[in-house]
Amino acid sequence: MPLSKPAGTGKKEEISLDAAARHVLEECRMVLPGIQALFGFQLIAVFNEGFGEKISPPQQVLHLIALVLTTLAMALVMTPAALHRQAEPREVSERFLWMASNMVLAGMFPLALAVGLDAYVVTSVVLHNEVLAALLAVALVVIFAVLWLILPRREHRRYH
């Protein structure tokens, strides 16, 4: 009786530089709306009535840091399109793929931190418990790290 392969394993196929560039730019287009939505909510929160009363000055600073991190994530995820349009509008290079991939991955780090910080602020306001707020924030950042860094690297090592 033959041994069965784990689910999802099997055939692999090399893709062209052009296809790889399309993939990375599509990934940017998929991630960007979520970042922009988060950024919008972060901006709206500041202008809502009660922001200054419900959220302490240190929490307001944490929210500002989260907003800056979200802005940084947005810039990093948008850079591949700008880079491609200006540096290589009629060609695709391995260098572009390397830079674009690293920009998207770099954008995930400030995004995860921003979500963690805002989760901390919201949880501390809702539950009035700084310890639970900190635990939730750290747990969320760890979950992002596992899903966005550890899992992909494990899969890469396993199947390459």
Side-chain angles (χ1 to χ4, degrees):
M1 184 176 219
L3 295 175
S4 63
K5 291 183 183 180
T9 61
K11 184 180 175 187
K12 287 191 221 176
E13 185 177 310
E14 289 272 330
I15 61 173
S16 68
L17 284 175
D18 182 55
R22 282 196 311 271
H23 285 293
V24 76
L25 291 171
E26 183 63 28
E27 290 163 1
C28 293
R29 280 192 286 275
M30 288 172 38
V31 171
L32 190 58
I35 296 172
Q36 290 172 320
L38 174 61
F39 182 70
F41 286 121
Q42 288 172 319
L43 288 176
I44 289 169
V46 174
F47 296 107
N48 276 338
E49 249 183 75
F51 180 78
E53 294 83 44
K54 292 179 185 174
I55 300 177
S56 70
Q59 291 169 331
Q60 291 175 25
V61 170
L62 288 177
H63 181 73
L64 175 62
I65 292 168
L67 186 133
V68 170
L69 288 168
T70 302
T71 305
L72 177 60
M74 192 180 338
L76 287 164
V77 170
M78 292 174 78
T79 296
L83 180 65
H84 182 60
R85 270 299 113 218
Q86 295 178 57
E88 299 177 347
R90 299 178 57 79
E91 60 191 14
V92 177
S93 68
E94 287 182 353
R95 172 118 178 109
F96 166 74
L97 289 175
W98 178 85
M99 289 180 73
S101 295
N102 283 303
M103 291 286 182
V104 172
L105 291 174
M108 300 297 101
F109 179 70
L111 180 60
L113 290 179
V115 170
L117 285 174
D118 271 341
Y120 170 82
V121 170
V122 170
T123 304
S124 63
V125 168
V126 171
L127 299 180
H128 304 289
N129 187 322
E130 303 294 316
V131 173
L132 282 177
L135 288 173
L136 176 65
V138 168
L140 288 173
V141 172
V142 167
I143 289 168
F144 281 127
V146 167
L147 293 174
W148 292 350
L149 297 173
I150 295 169
L151 177 65
R153 289 173 190 214
R154 187 195 79 181
E155 290 299 302
H156 181 75
R157 276 194 307 271
R158 180 176 285 169
Y159 297 108
H160 284 95

